[in-house]
Amino acid sequence: MLISISAAFSLFSLRTFFKHIPPIKPSTLKLRHFSDAGISRTSIAAAGTLNFEALTSHQKHQVRLYIDSLLEWNQKMNLTAVKEENEVMERHVEDSLAIIEPVRDSYMLRCGNSFENLSVVDVGSGAGLPGVILAIACPSWKVTLLESLNKRCVFLEHVVGLIGLQNVQIVRNRAETVGQNLDYRENFDIAVARAVAEMRVLAEYCLPLVRVGGLFVAAKGHDPHEEVAKAERAIHLMGASLLQTCFVESHSKFGQRTAIICLKDGPTPIKYPRAPGIPSKLPL
């Protein structure tokens, strides 16, 4: 069932709208399809760390619309623990933008000669972080927001339509299910995940979706070394290897976060990902 957010808001107040959201059957739901029409082909900054000030005026406006919607909807549903606009900018937007530079460097070095027109999946997108911010900053990318919870997908559909992102699609399903779907399996240049699960679980969620020769990027905290060490077996089982751990500037209390970047060396065995719920209960 396709929910028209704009129509709903013309009929109901925000409070009434939430009471009238119909349940969506637990199947893959593509809420928005890709379209090349109207997509700006602005290139990513050639050098230096990409941050909010480096964006175009149009991109900055899109980010502000996203922040306003996130804070408004967060009053009704739990999308983020952050309550203030400046905190959203510092802890979510800037952190999401900060991973672009190390990912670009790794991709250009090991995966291809262009960082444009990539197919990217944000696994466990939640409130659209980092996927929505990446789609704004990198308008030539085709970004898939993969999220299993209906209420979050409703928010994502609303904010994607409000911002006018034509390079985004939303898929409501679990990563374990989508990873066994041939329409998505090993179909993405890059898979990203932020604040979803521990690294060895993320490897099984994300790497089956990445094409051979592509990247899996996990945004982690300031000291992920023990977590990464525990994940090495799972990463190798998925057909990948740890490429590098990059430190990125952050407004967190530690002043930095990390981007764990893995290279997909070969195909993932067909038995992975395992059935929904198993990877988190029985990590490899």
Side-chain angles (χ1 to χ4, degrees):
M1 178 179 179
L2 181 64
I3 300 174
S4 174
I5 300 296
S6 59
F9 272 100
S10 67
L11 294 174
F12 305 114
S13 66
L14 181 62
R15 181 180 300 276
T16 307
F17 169 67
F18 278 107
K19 293 179 180 179
H20 287 78
I21 295 176
I24 296 178
K25 295 181 180 180
S27 59
T28 299
L29 175 60
K30 299 181 182 179
L31 293 171
R32 181 170 296 274
H33 295 279
F34 297 129
S35 171
D36 287 332
I39 297 178
S40 170
R41 296 298 175 178
T42 303
S43 298
I44 302 161
T49 301
L50 182 62
N51 56 28
F52 178 74
E53 291 305 318
L55 300 178
T56 67
S57 59
H58 177 63
Q59 289 169 326
K60 289 178 181 178
H61 177 65
Q62 289 178 310
V63 170
R64 292 189 183 101
L65 285 176
Y66 169 78
I67 293 174
D68 289 345
S69 292
L70 177 64
L71 292 175
E72 180 182 9
W73 283 57
N74 199 50
Q75 296 176 31
K76 183 67 177 182
M77 64 171 66
N78 183 26
L79 293 169
T80 176
V82 178
K83 307 297 183 183
E84 301 296 330
E85 180 179 349
N86 64 329
E87 285 189 281
V88 175
M89 179 66 72
E90 293 178 352
R91 294 176 57 182
H92 291 327
V93 174
E94 293 286 15
D95 271 11
S96 296
L97 292 172
I99 69 172
I100 294 177
E101 182 188 7
V103 173
R104 176 186 59 210
D105 292 345
S106 295
Y107 193 89
M108 295 292 288
L109 180 65
R110 303 299 296 268
C111 306
N113 57 10
S114 174
F115 201 52
E116 302 285 337
N117 303 307
L118 300 185
S119 177
V120 178
V121 57
D122 177 14
V123 177
S125 187
L129 297 162
V132 169
I133 304 303
L134 296 180
I136 292 172
C138 309
S140 73
W141 289 6
K142 293 180 178 179
V143 179
T144 296
L145 308 179
L146 177 56
E147 172 55 47
S148 64
L149 293 183
N150 176 58
K151 66 178 183 178
R152 292 177 181 168
C153 287
V154 173
F155 167 73
L156 292 173
E157 169 67 8
H158 163 70
V159 79
V160 166
L162 178 69
I163 294 172
L165 291 175
Q166 297 182 358
N167 60 331
V168 173
Q169 73 168 348
I170 301 162
V171 175
R172 179 185 178 265
N173 214 321
R174 294 184 63 109
E176 302 98 319
T177 302
V178 174
Q180 290 291 356
N181 185 325
L182 295 181
D183 289 337
Y184 302 99
R185 185 179 178 88
E186 299 191 330
N187 197 40
F188 295 94
D189 297 304
I190 300 173
V192 298
R194 180 179 185 266
V196 176
E198 64 173 300
M199 190 71 185
R200 56 182 174 170
V201 177
L202 279 181
E204 190 170 355
Y205 286 167
C206 297
L207 280 164
L209 296 168
V210 179
R211 68 169 176 84
V212 174
L215 297 180
F216 158 46
V217 183
K220 288 293 181 179
H222 76 289
D223 186 16
H225 295 95
E226 182 178 350
E227 181 180 347
V228 173
K230 290 180 179 179
E232 286 187 10
R233 179 174 180 270
I235 292 169
H236 289 306
L237 284 174
M238 297 303 119
S241 58
L242 181 63
L243 189 58
Q244 61 178 323
T245 299
C246 302
F247 293 96
V248 297
E249 292 184 6
S250 170
H251 289 273
S252 70
K253 63 180 180 179
F254 298 104
Q256 66 181 21
R257 294 177 63 85
T258 52
I260 313 301
I261 303 177
C262 300
L263 177 67
K264 184 76 171 283
D265 302 302
T268 300
I270 193 63
K271 64 181 178 179
Y272 299 116
R274 293 168 291 172
I278 294 179
S280 60
K281 293 178 181 177
L282 298 172
L284 295 169

